Amino acid sequence: MCSFFLCQTGKQAKISMGEENQTFVSKFIFLGLSQDLQTQILLFILFLIIYLLTVLGNLLIIILIFLDSRLHTPMYFFLRNLSFADLCFSTSIVPQVLVHFLVKRKTISLYGCMTQIIVFLLVGCTECALLAVMSYDRYVAVCKPLYYSTIMTQRVCLWLSFGSWASGALVSLVDTSFTFHLPYWGQNIINHYFCEPPALLKLASTDTYSTEMAIFSMGVVILLAPVSLILGSYWNIISTVIQMQSGEGRLKAFSTCGSHLIVVVLFYGSGIFTYMRPNSKTTKELDKMIFVFYTVVTPMLNPIIYSLRNKDVKGALRKLVGRKCFSHRQ
């Protein structure tokens, strides 16, 4: 726990190692996505547009669900949680990246790095759980429609939401504790654009095997366990839909699940490819691009997917716009 207490000084402390004195790391330096000035300006514009779309899209989903009584159902309750998580997920990373595009020295304090990891893991892992909960909601709606209102009660929805956020908090606490329990002195350059445990562990001044195994185990639980629930839910959904006699009923069943399934594929596909693959021969730059899609692009796509493919959300949006237009005419 020595490194944890030393980091709280917020200053550089000298630690003796045998006959050498090395400087304890109080801040880290990112190499970022590019060192070329023109490329950084273009990336700044691109990331700013994506971030604004992410914020506006997710806020719009949250506001529509809050204002329209037709959206006060379990599915949209969980969607509102997902949009809030997306908003926090993007905000934990993108604003700092935007600032770093405009400065030569891309630094972050030890405290700042710790905070970023806590928030990033909290909301990211919560999203994993929420997507699994939403798949269960769709399973009940399609496979047990007559019992939907008695199974998915407000109390059950609140507990499922609480459990999702609690699981995210648990994984975040465990991973962050293991990561910052290690000593960091001397090397402080991170070949990345934000703080995340695997990149930080490469700078640790001691053996990291046990920490890596602990973090990997938590990753398996929070990624693969919800995936199993999602696969089980959709297996039952598909089996039920195939047995339907009405073509209209099949179409309606698939349409209620389409948006969720696309989001699941995008989020889990990029997440598993990012974290669960073995050490690959891909370049670090390619790895960064994969991370950009996972951490920056996906939170922007989620509200677009739900708004474009969902009649209820589009109807609520038209109702809100029509109300605004009518008020202006008055």
Side-chain angles (χ1 to χ4, degrees), residues 298-318:
T298 301
M300 176 196 69
L301 293 178
N302 290 351
I304 295 175
I305 293 168
Y306 273 104
S307 61
L308 290 178
R309 294 186 55 86
N310 192 294
K311 292 181 180 179
D312 293 334
V313 174
K314 288 191 288 187
L317 181 58
R318 283 194 293 267

Side-chain angles (χ1 to χ4, degrees), residues 28 36 45 116 118 125 132 171 211 215 246 257 264 296 300 302 315:
F28 298 99
D36 180 70
I45 296 171
Q116 187 175 63
I118 290 172
C125 296
V171 175
T211 298
I215 292 176
S246 169
C257 304
V264 166
V296 181
M300 176 196 69
N302 290 351

Side-chain angles (χ1 to χ4, degrees), residues 49-109:
I49 293 172
I50 291 175
Y51 181 62
L52 290 176
L53 289 174
T54 301
V55 172
L56 292 174
N58 284 291
L59 280 179
L60 181 62
I61 293 290
I62 293 171
I63 292 170
L64 287 176
I65 293 173
F66 177 77
L67 293 178
D68 198 315
S69 59
R70 294 175 300 177
L71 302 182
H72 293 174
T73 63
M75 182 178 76
Y76 294 108
F77 171 75
F78 296 128
L79 178 57
R80 184 169 59 180
N81 276 265
L82 183 68
S83 293
F84 179 71
D86 273 332
L87 196 59
C88 297
F89 190 73
S90 182
T91 301
S92 69
I93 297 172
V94 180
Q96 175 200 267
V97 176
L98 290 173
V99 172
H100 285 172
F101 282 140
L102 303 178
V103 298
K104 182 175 291 187
R105 192 173 177 84
K106 302 168 176 55
T107 62
I108 186 172
S109 67

Side-chain angles (χ1 to χ4, degrees), residues 283-296:
T283 64
K284 189 62 182 176
E285 299 308 312
L286 179 58
D287 284 341
K288 288 180 185 179
M289 292 302 103
I290 297 170
F291 268 102
V292 167
F293 181 83
Y294 177 64
T295 60
V296 181

